[in-house]
């Protein structure tokens, strides 16, 4: 049988846009990635210093629009139509693991525009995509092919550029944004997202280790680069800070950085850094840098939990802060960028991570937490003994207090066994100990005596925190 | 070099050290200079370490549950990197696809006789390596046969018995393996072992049998040989048994030259009676004092011929006793009943096609064996006490409730001469009633008890009219109470 031309149906468009970027922020990530590619193309020619590169994100609440503009290489006028309208032709460049994908925005606005100009040309190109029409045509019953639909919904213009001939840029405009819960208009959330996902620099102001990390990454990770990204005028940095807020009351500090390499038999696969923390607990969610995060081309792969599966307990990942930057060209992010393409190198990468970080840190975290809980127990036990001795000497404030102390001491005997002779003496002495007021009887009038006894009882029984209760009672006595 | 290798034996009961893992250990520890660790069962302590490879051995198919659980534990321990796990051994060789379905890991089938089976980067034949005895020190579990050279002088078996798994994992009969090499190496590298344990499946079929005996003797296992300062007796054991049909005068003469203890024969089928009895007498004539006998049941036999085979051994023992002068050590045969379990059974009590046996009968035999702890004693009196005086009585006994079988005798029974008077009153009653049943009534009773299911017994008890059967069923429903009550009365008086 003769081979026939297969038909590419219109649903391909659907899967390349709405289907693939099922979360609105992923669109943002793809456009940022395109911009860094365009900037890299230009830096390769040494036309532009990386420090002068700029990716500008403007979010306008009044017009409900989002614009991403970069001063990268731009698209020359004679290539613009093809580059902006051909689908699936963009070369996925193995050299930097990134590639042009432009259609993600189709799913989240009514109109999508690409505007671009290359240096030295006095023409700019504009491509307008009617997203509402696209959705209608996909839903309708018709026999249109993908290219039929693109012809239907796009409009292409070129015009004279009146400003500087030297200008070069690429701009994506999403007009009339429609995203669930208006995520694409949520400026604080987008800042948080870009600071954690985007290829932005460390903040030298709030993170002392920024310089050393930046320097070491540059020498060890080829292609390592940071980009100046602005959101409504504010420059975005990675969220790392010297002070680490932990969940609960504790705090920790990043004083020392450890660098490591992941490899298999033949290749260096990745290079990473890790803050040397005391491993007291999980880092607070709100710090936005908990967990070791994986980056390729300095853009996050997956989310902060990508590596959690490779610890003995998933939460152990959140005890740590650090980054792993992918080196190897065979370790390619999958098209959703939530993990790598499935191959043996991927297994090698995770396996080496388990060996160097996942298992040793799981072990350490568990040991430390065991030590802490033992210390904690010891502290509580000592506290109990101190209080018992105090009560014996000075008298108790409430029968309830005495009973609770005796109960606690019995538990101690049952759980440890050792030192029990001493504790049994304490219990005996407690049982024959007297009420504080009884011991001070002479100092109080009959009425005061009665009042104190019942007041102390009430305070002690009603207060949840018995330490607090004792403090209050002591204050009353001091008065 | 310097890889971390974990060897795992699931925590099933085992008398024999895991020879396959021991050979793999030699490959990794001695040849490859890797770090080797050996554990039994699911050991949480190894979860903190990194492992390059994990080898898990398997044994009987009826250890299925614990085996699958162990494999899945280590799979999880390795963060699901299944490509690092190698499963081998008997269960894996008999049921590779079933094991794959349960674990997602395709096991290695058969012997490790090709380097490609575990993706070796060299040409070492692991099956030919000297087992590493050192790893046994890493665990607290004590194998009964730790102090022995473990090996083979032949591999496989030329016979193709349907009930036997040997052909599945050792399909080719290898008639000669030089045992001297193994023994000298173990002696040199580890320590000298007192005994020699040979796991040959059918050594008598080897045309190099004479050489094998010579090899064994050259290694110091000559009749009367002793070991160590305390002069303990050295022993050779072909522990998988010898083929009675192949035991010739000449071969027995050679066997008599080594300290074989015991000589193990199989009595798999009553049809083998003639050749079996001939072999036992032949061994006896050559001065073989200690014999042991595997008795397969639940395969194609009946309870009657099972009893018959046990009885034949008792009669042989009686004969040996009669013709033995008081100064002489008398020849004895112990019987080891072995229940047939289908080759792909995942549980010990799997169903077979054999309709002569049923769950109740099998359970009854098991209870008797539990009480006598395995081997059937050679003495006639004990035997008749345990298994009954004839096949009919045997079947009446194994139909009893477990509790009755376990507590058949009065507490002071050994002071009572009459067989009947020794029985506890409820047992006597059971035997009286069951003895009075017609053939039809008996088969009715067997049908009700066959699947040994209490609910089923209760249902039948409620609807049955026949008074005798009803009473016997009542015994089954109330056995525990009856026995406890009798015991309490006895201790009070």
């Amino acid at each position: 049988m003769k081979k026939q031309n297969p038909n590419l149906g219109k649903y391909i468009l659907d899967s390349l846009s709405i289907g693939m970027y099922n979360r609105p922020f992923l669109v943002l990530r793809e456009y940022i990635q395109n911009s860094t590619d365009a900037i890299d193309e230009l830096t390769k020619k040494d036309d532009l210093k990386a420090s002068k590169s700029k990716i500008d994100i403007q979010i306008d609440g009044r017009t409900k629009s989002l614009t991403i503009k970069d001063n990268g290489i731009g698209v020359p006028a004679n290539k613009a139509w093809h580059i902006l309208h051909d689908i699936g032709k963009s070369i996925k460049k193995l050299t930097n693991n990134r590639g042009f994908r432009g259609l993600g925005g189709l799913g989240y606005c009514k109109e999508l525009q690409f505007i671009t100009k290359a240096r030295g040309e006095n023409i700019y190109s504009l491509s307008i995509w009617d997203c509402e029409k696209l959705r209608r045509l996909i839903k309708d019953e018709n026999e249109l092919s993908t290219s039929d639909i693109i012809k239907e919904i796009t409009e292409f213009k070129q015009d004279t550029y009146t400003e500087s001939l030297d200008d070069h840029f690429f701009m994506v405009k999403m007009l009339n944004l429609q995203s669930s819960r208006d995520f694409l208009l949520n400026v604080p959330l987008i800042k948080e997202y870009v600071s954690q996902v985007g290829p932005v620099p460390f903040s030298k102001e709030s993170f002392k280790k920024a310089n050393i990390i930046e320097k070491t990454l540059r020498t060890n990770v080829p292609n390592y680069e940071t980009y100046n990204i602005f959101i409504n005028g504010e420059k975005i940095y990675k969220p790392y800070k010297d002070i680490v807020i932990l969940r609960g009351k504790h705090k920790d500090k990043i004083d020392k950085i450890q660098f490591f390499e992941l490899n298999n038999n033949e290749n260096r696969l990745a290079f990473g850094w890790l803050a040397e923390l005391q491993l007291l607990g999980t880092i607070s969610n709100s710090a936005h840098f908990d967990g070791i995060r994986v980056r390729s081309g300095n853009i996050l792969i997956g989310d902060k939990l990508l590596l959690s599966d490779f610890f003995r307990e998933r939460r152990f990942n959140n005890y740590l802060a650090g980054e792993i930057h992918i080196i190897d060209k065979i370790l390619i992010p999958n098209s959703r960028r939530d993990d790598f393409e499935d191959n043996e190198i991927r297994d090698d990468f995770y396996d080496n991570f388990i060996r160097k970080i996942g298992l040793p840190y799981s072990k350490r975290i568990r040991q430390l937490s065991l030590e802490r809980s033992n210390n904690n127990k010891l502290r509580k036990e000592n506290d109990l003994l101190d209080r018992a001795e105090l009560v014996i000497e000075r008298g108790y404030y409430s029968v309830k207090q005495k009973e609770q102390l005796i109960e606690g001491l019995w538990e101690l005997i049952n759980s440890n066994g050792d030192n029990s002779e001493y504790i049994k003496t304490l219990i005996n002495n407690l049982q024959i100990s007297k009420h504080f007021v009884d011991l001070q009887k002479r100092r109080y009038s009959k009425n005061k005596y009665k009042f104190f006894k019942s007041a102390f009882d009430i305070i002690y029984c009603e207060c949840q925190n018995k330490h607090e209760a004792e403090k209050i009672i002591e204050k009353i006595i001091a008065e | 070099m310097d890889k971390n290798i974990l060897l795992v034996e699931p925590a099933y009961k085992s008398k024999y050290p895991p020879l396959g893992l021991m050979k793999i250990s030699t490959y990794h520890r001695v040849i490859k200079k890797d770090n080797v660790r050996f554990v039994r069962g699911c050991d949480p302590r190894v979860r903190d370490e990194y492992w390059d490879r994990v080898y898990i051995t398997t044994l009987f198919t009826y250890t299925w549950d614990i085996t699958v659980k162990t494999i899945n534990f280590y799979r999880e321990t390795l963060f699901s990197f299944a490509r690092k796990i190698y499963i081998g051994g008997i269960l894996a060789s008999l049921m590779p696809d079933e094991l794959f379905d349960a674990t997602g890991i395709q096991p290695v089938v058969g012997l490790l006789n090709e380097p490609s089976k575990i993706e070796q980067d060299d040409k070492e034949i692991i099956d030919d390596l000297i087992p590493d005895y050192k790893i046994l020190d890493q665990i607290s579990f004590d194998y009964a046969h730790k102090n022995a050279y473990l090996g083979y002088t032949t591999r496989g078996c030329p016979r193709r018995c349907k009930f036997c798994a040997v052909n599945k994992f050792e399909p080719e009969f290898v008639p000669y393996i030089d045992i001297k090499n193994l023994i000298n190496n173990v002696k040199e590298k580890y320590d000298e072992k007192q005994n020699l344990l040979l796991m040959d499946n059918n050594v008598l079929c080897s045309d190099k049998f004479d050489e094998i005996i010579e090899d064994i003797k050259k290694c110091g296992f000559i009749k009367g040989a002793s070991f160590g300062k305390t002069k303990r007796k050295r022993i050779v054991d072909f522990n998988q048994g010898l083929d009675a049909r192949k035991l010739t005068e000449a071969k027995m003469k050679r066997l008599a030259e080594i300290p074989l203890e015991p000589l193990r024969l199989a009595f798999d089928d009553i049809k083998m009676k003639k050749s079996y009895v001939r072999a036992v007498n032949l061994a006896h004539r050559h001065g073989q004092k200690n014999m042991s006998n595997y008795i397969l049941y639940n395969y194609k036999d009946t309870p009657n011929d099972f009893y018959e085979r046990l009885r034949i051994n008792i009669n042989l023992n009686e004969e040996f006793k009669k013709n033995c002068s008081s100064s002489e050590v008398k020849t004895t045969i112990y019987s080891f009943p072995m229940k047939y379990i289908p080759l792909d059974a995942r549980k010990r009590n799997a169903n077979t096609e054999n309709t002569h046996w049923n769950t109740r009968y099998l359970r009854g035999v098991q209870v008797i064996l539990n009480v006598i702890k395995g081997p059937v004693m050679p003495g006639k009196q004990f035997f008749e006490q345990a298994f009954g005086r004839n096949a009919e009585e045997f079947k009446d006994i194994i139909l009893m409730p477990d509790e009755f079988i376990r507590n058949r005798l009065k507490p002071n029974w050994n002071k009572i001469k009459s067989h009947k008077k020794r029985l506890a009153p409820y047992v006597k009653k059971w035997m009286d009633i069951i003895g009075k049943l017609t053939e039809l009534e008996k088969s009715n009773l067997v049908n009700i008890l066959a699947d040994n299911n209490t609910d089923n017994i209760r249902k039948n008890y409620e609807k049955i009219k026949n008074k005798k059967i009803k009473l016997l069923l009542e015994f089954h429903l109330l056995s525990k109470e009856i026995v406890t009550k009798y015991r309490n009365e006895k201790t009070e008086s």
Side-chain angles (χ1 to χ4, degrees), chain B residues 281-399:
Chain B
N281 281 318
L282 177 62
H284 171 67
R285 271 207 323 278
H286 282 270
Q288 181 67 41
K289 298 292 179 194
N290 189 338
M291 288 187 239
S292 175
N293 174 214
Y294 291 128
I295 293 186
L296 181 76
Y297 68 102
N298 190 36
Y299 178 57
K300 283 190 169 153
D301 61 329
T302 64
N304 284 49
D305 79 43
F306 169 69
Y307 180 86
E308 175 67 17
R309 282 178 287 159
L310 292 177
R311 171 59 82 178
I312 287 167
N313 277 340
I314 295 301
N315 292 347
L316 285 166
N317 275 315
E318 288 296 304
E319 236 171 85
F320 295 145
K321 199 162 115 186
K322 208 164 65 195
N323 302 327
C324 180
S325 70
S326 58
S327 61
E328 227 182 325
V329 181
K330 67 173 187 285
T331 304
T332 48
I333 313 170
Y334 284 84
S335 304
F336 278 90
M338 291 194 117
K339 188 174 86 172
Y340 169 70
I341 299 171
L343 298 190
D344 57 356
R346 299 182 185 192
K347 292 213 153 50
R348 263 175 179 276
N349 53 2
N351 195 20
T352 62
E353 307 288 292
N354 188 330
T355 50
H356 304 297
W357 288 91
N358 58 48
T359 309
R360 180 57 247 159
Y361 279 159
L362 293 170
R363 177 68 200 152
V365 172
Q366 191 55 48
V367 175
I368 297 176
L369 294 178
N370 285 350
V371 172
I372 61 177
K373 297 194 170 62
V376 178
M377 59 304 265
K380 184 182 170 202
Q381 227 195 357
F382 273 92
F383 170 76
E384 289 187 345
Q385 201 78 68
F387 288 87
R389 287 165 299 182
N390 52 54
E392 284 314 307
E393 204 174 281
F394 166 62
K395 284 190 285 183
D396 291 347
I397 289 171
I398 54 179
L399 276 180

Side-chain angles (χ1 to χ4, degrees), chain B residues 469-480:
Chain B
I469 295 180
K470 200 175 180 94
L471 199 58
L472 292 174
L473 295 183
E474 192 180 302
F475 277 147
H476 263 274
L477 295 172
L478 297 174
S479 62
K480 272 194 187 125

Side-chain angles (χ1 to χ4, degrees), chain A residues 160-266:
Chain A
T160 316
Y161 186 72
T162 52
E163 285 168 55
S164 168
L165 207 63
D166 271 352
D167 283 356
H168 46 93
F169 59 84
F170 192 99
M171 203 188 321
V172 183
K173 280 188 165 197
M174 297 171 74
L175 303 173
N176 268 315
L177 286 164
Q178 300 174 318
S179 60
S180 78
R181 286 175 277 163
D182 278 335
F183 273 138
L184 287 175
L185 292 172
N186 190 335
V187 179
L189 209 60
I190 290 175
K191 283 180 183 165
E192 259 170 33
Y193 177 77
V194 174
S195 78
Q196 293 180 68
V197 173
V200 292
F202 295 98
S203 159
K204 290 176 178 134
E205 252 169 59
S206 44
F207 189 40
K208 281 199 214 91
K209 295 290 166 191
N211 274 328
I212 176 78
I213 295 176
E214 194 93 33
K215 214 176 116 196
T216 317
L217 288 178
R218 273 187 204 282
T219 36
N220 286 284
V221 183
N223 283 340
Y224 174 82
E225 197 50 81
T226 63
Y227 301 84
N228 302 313
I229 300 181
F230 295 83
I231 295 176
N232 285 2
E234 183 189 325
K235 189 169 175 186
I236 304 298
Y237 294 97
K238 281 182 183 163
Y240 296 95
K241 286 192 175 69
D242 295 328
I243 301 293
V244 183
I245 313 278
L246 305 179
R247 235 172 252 189
K249 292 179 223 160
H250 297 287
K251 271 185 192 168
D252 203 345
K253 245 175 33 194
I254 302 185
D255 278 333
K256 235 179 138 189
I257 299 292
Q258 175 202 332
F259 294 96
F260 59 92
E261 184 183 293
L262 299 182
N263 44 27
N264 64 3
N265 290 332
E266 292 110 36

Side-chain angles (χ1 to χ4, degrees), chain B residues 407 411 424-426 479-493:
Chain B
N407 303 288
Y426 44 84
S479 62
K480 272 194 187 125
E481 289 83 345
I482 294 168
V483 172
T484 319
K485 196 177 154 217
Y486 173 73
R487 264 217 219 111
N488 290 344
E489 281 168 10
K490 273 283 151 190
T491 42
E492 269 165 38
S493 69

Side-chain angles (χ1 to χ4, degrees), chain A residues 447-464:
Chain A
N447 281 344
K448 237 183 186 175
Y449 166 82
K450 266 190 179 168
F451 170 76
F452 275 159
K453 252 194 168 175
S454 60
F456 291 176
D457 253 351
I458 292 167
I459 293 168
Y460 196 86
C461 294
E462 292 301 316
C463 273
Q464 282 296 321

Side-chain angles (χ1 to χ4, degrees), chain A residues 316-358:
Chain A
F316 289 166
N317 189 21
N318 305 93
Y319 277 65
L320 306 174
E323 291 182 322
I324 292 176
H325 290 263
I326 300 303
I327 296 172
D328 199 85
K329 290 170 188 120
I330 323 167
L331 204 54
I332 303 163
N334 64 19
S335 48
R336 296 169 65 108
R337 279 191 79 96
D338 57 5
D339 202 334
F340 299 99
E341 282 182 5
D342 219 329
N343 57 29
E344 227 172 87
I345 308 286
R346 173 178 179 262
D347 273 0
D348 290 344
F349 169 76
Y350 286 127
D351 189 48
N352 207 238
F353 176 80
I354 290 169
R355 178 177 209 159
K356 291 195 174 135
I357 307 287

